[in-house]
Amino acid sequence: MTQPLLQIKNATKVYGGGFLKTGPTTVALQDFNLTIDAKPATITTIAGESGSGKTTLANLVLGFVNLTSGQILYKGNDTGSMDRNQTMEYRREVQAVFQDPYAVYNPFYRVKHIFDLVINNFKMANNKKDARDLIEKALNVVGMRGEEVLEKYPHQLSGGQRQRMMVARAYLLKPRLIVADEPVSMVDASLRAMILDIMLRLRDEEGISFLYITHDLSTAYQIGDRIYLLYQGATAERGDTMQVIENPKHPYVQLLINSIPVPDPKVRWGGDMEATSVDDEQMRVNIKSGCRFYPRCPARMDKCLTAQPPLYVVGKGRHEAACYLYDDHPVTEESAREQVAG
Ligand code: ADP
Ligand code: MG
C-alpha cells in the first residue's frame, strides 16, 4: 500500500502559558487526526466557526507553528525530523493560499519579481525563457495573462486578481497539496465561484489535493470530497461531504446545517441560528473532561460530562461523529487506540 500524502496523528497545539508555563493557555487543537490519500487527488474541507482551530491546523501543516504534541507525516516521513532534501521537497510540494493575499506580497516588488523569486528559490527553470513560459502557463491556469499583470505592483491589482495570482504562484511549484485557508471569504460571489472552479480543475487535471479551510458550509457543499467539522479544536463529525451535510449526526453539526442560508428561497434548511449566533471564541469553555459542546447542546446527557466522546462510526463511507448519542455504535480505530493508550 502506498503511503498517504498527508497524515496528522493526535496533533495538539496549546498556545500561551508563557515562559514559566504558568500563564493562561488555549488548546487550539486537541488530538486531531486526518489522512489525505496519495491518490486520487481530493479536496478535504475543514469547516468550523471562528476560533475552532482551522488556521492553527493550516499553520501546523505549513510548518509555520510547531506542534505541542503529535505528528504530521508527509508521504510517511515525520515532518518534525526530515532531512534537508525531504524538507525542501515538502516546502515545494505543500503550498499555501490565504484569505488576504495582499499580506503575503511585498508591495515594493512588481508581480513579475514575486514569481521570479519562487522560480529561483526552487530552481524551477534553467533560463529566462523557460521561466517566462512557466509563469505564463501558471497565470493561464487561473484565467490571467502575463502581459496583464506581470509589470504591475500588487496594489494595482484587484482583490480577485491578487487571489488568483496566489493560486498561480502555488501552482507554479507543481505542488501535491495546497492548503487554502479561507481563500474565498473576502471575495464576491462570482469570483468565489471562479476560484472554487479553479480548485476543482487543479484537482482533476493536475492531481493537486487541497486542504480547504472555510467557515462557510455552503462552499464546502460545492466542492468538498471529505469534510471535517471542527468544534473547539476537535473533530465533531467527519465523512463524505454530501453524506455529512445531507445527514448530519452530531447535534452541533445539525444546528450548523439547519442555519445555512440557501440562495434558493424555495429550499428551506430550517431557521435555527442558535449554533452560529455566538462564535466559538466566546464560548470556549474550560470543560476539563467531557464534551466541549455540552453547554450548547440540545441533546446533552449526564454522561457527556464524564469524558470526551470518541468518534463513533455513524454511517457509510467513514462517516463518524464524536457524540454519545451513538455510543452503541463501534468507535473508530483511532479512537479505540486512544482509549487503550489513555
Ligand atoms: P480559526 O482559524 O478557526 O478561527 P484559530 O486557529 O485562529 O481558529 O484559533 C484557535 C484558537 O487558538 C483561538 O482561541 C485563538 O484565540 C487561539 N490562538 C490562535 N493563534 C494564537 C496565538 N498565536 N497565540 C495565542 N492564541 C492563539
Ligand atoms: Mg482562521
Side-chain angles (χ1 to χ4, degrees):
M1 215 191 87
T2 51
Q3 293 283 0
L5 187 64
L6 186 79
Q7 216 176 356
I8 302 178
K9 291 185 174 177
N10 297 326
T12 297
K13 177 64 187 180
V14 182
Y15 289 111
F19 179 64
L20 295 173
K21 311 242 180 279
T22 50
T25 57
T26 304
V27 182
L29 204 65
Q30 189 171 14
D31 286 318
F32 182 78
N33 290 286
L34 172 147
T35 302
I36 297 178
D37 293 334
K39 264 183 187 154
T42 50
I43 295 173
T44 302
T45 302
I46 308 293
E49 292 164 285
S50 156
S52 58
K54 304 182 299 296
T55 295
T56 298
L57 175 62
N59 286 339
L60 286 168
V61 171
L62 292 164
F64 298 160
V65 299
N66 292 322
L67 284 165
T68 304
S69 62
Q71 274 185 315
I72 297 178
L73 308 177
Y74 183 67
K75 295 179 178 170
N77 298 313
D78 189 334
T79 55
S81 56
M82 285 178 160
D83 65 27
R84 239 184 90 92
N85 285 340
Q86 288 170 332
T87 302
M88 200 63 179
E89 183 187 18
Y90 183 62
R91 288 221 187 114
R92 186 170 70 74
E93 293 187 358
V94 180
Q95 289 298 316
V97 174
F98 298 106
Q99 176 173 18
D100 177 13
Y102 195 62
V104 191
Y105 294 125
N106 184 326
F108 301 111
Y109 288 151
R110 289 177 203 273
V111 168
K112 179 162 67 86
H113 184 71
I114 293 158
F115 283 93
D116 287 342
L117 275 180
V118 179
I119 291 202
N120 292 337
N121 214 351
F122 290 93
K123 302 189 176 53
M124 299 297 292
N126 291 324
N127 55 55
K128 281 215 161 102
K129 175 162 189 319
D130 286 358
R132 186 58 204 245
D133 287 348
L134 277 178
I135 295 170
E136 193 64 42
K137 163 128 201 269
L139 287 169
N140 292 167
V141 163
V142 299
M144 303 204 296
R145 279 175 301 129
E147 63 189 61
E148 271 171 1
V149 293
L150 287 174
E151 296 300 328
K152 294 199 169 135
Y153 289 96
H155 71 268
Q156 294 175 308
L157 304 181
S158 69
Q161 281 176 317
R162 279 200 293 269
Q163 191 57 297
R164 282 187 285 154
M165 226 173 70
M166 205 46 209
V167 178
R169 180 190 168 282
Y171 169 82
L172 190 68
L173 290 164
K174 301 270 171 286
R176 295 288 310 277
L177 178 68
I178 292 179
V179 178
D181 188 358
E182 312 255 11
V184 295
S185 25
M186 285 180 29
V187 301
D188 65 33
S190 64
L191 246 165
R192 187 176 307 148
M194 178 192 257
I195 289 172
L196 295 177
D197 189 55
I198 291 170
M199 289 169 60
L200 286 173
R201 267 181 28 232
L202 289 178
R203 177 194 67 183
D204 297 338
E205 292 167 20
E206 309 285 341
I208 299 174
S209 287
F210 283 84
L211 197 56
Y212 169 60
I213 292 173
T214 181
H215 67 268
D216 170 15
L217 275 175
S218 52
T219 63
Y221 196 55
Q222 290 166 40
I223 65 164
D225 296 310
R226 264 182 88 66
I227 192 167
Y228 289 64
L229 274 305
L230 282 189
Y231 185 74
Q232 294 188 1
T235 302
E237 183 162 347
R238 64 184 187 186
D240 292 342
T241 302
M242 292 297 161
Q243 185 95 355
V244 170
I245 293 185
E246 281 167 10
N247 193 10
K249 297 292 189 184
H250 193 288
Y252 167 62
V253 180
Q254 288 172 343
L255 283 174
L256 267 185
I257 285 170
N258 284 338
S259 65
I260 296 178
V262 194
D264 181 353
K266 286 195 293 264
V267 185
R268 295 287 304 171
W269 291 70
D272 197 339
M273 294 291 290
E274 213 169 85
T276 46
S277 60
V278 263
D279 79 17
D280 232 12
E281 199 78 55
Q282 298 155 357
M283 281 302 298
R284 196 170 275 272
V285 276
N286 250 335
I287 297 187
K288 296 224 164 39
S289 59
C291 179
R292 294 167 175 80
F293 191 56
Y294 183 87
R296 292 161 77 182
C297 185
R300 65 188 173 205
M301 307 172 279
D302 287 346
K303 178 169 188 182
C304 306
L305 286 173
T306 57
Q308 305 244 2
L311 281 165
Y312 293 101
V313 178
V314 294
K316 287 187 306 242
R318 291 180 296 155
H319 186 180
E320 299 154 9
C323 175
Y324 287 121
L325 288 174
Y326 309 99
D327 66 357
D328 55 339
H329 293 234
V331 295
T332 62
E333 256 175 64
E334 260 161 38
S335 294
R337 255 202 320 274
E338 270 165 41
Q339 283 178 330
V340 171

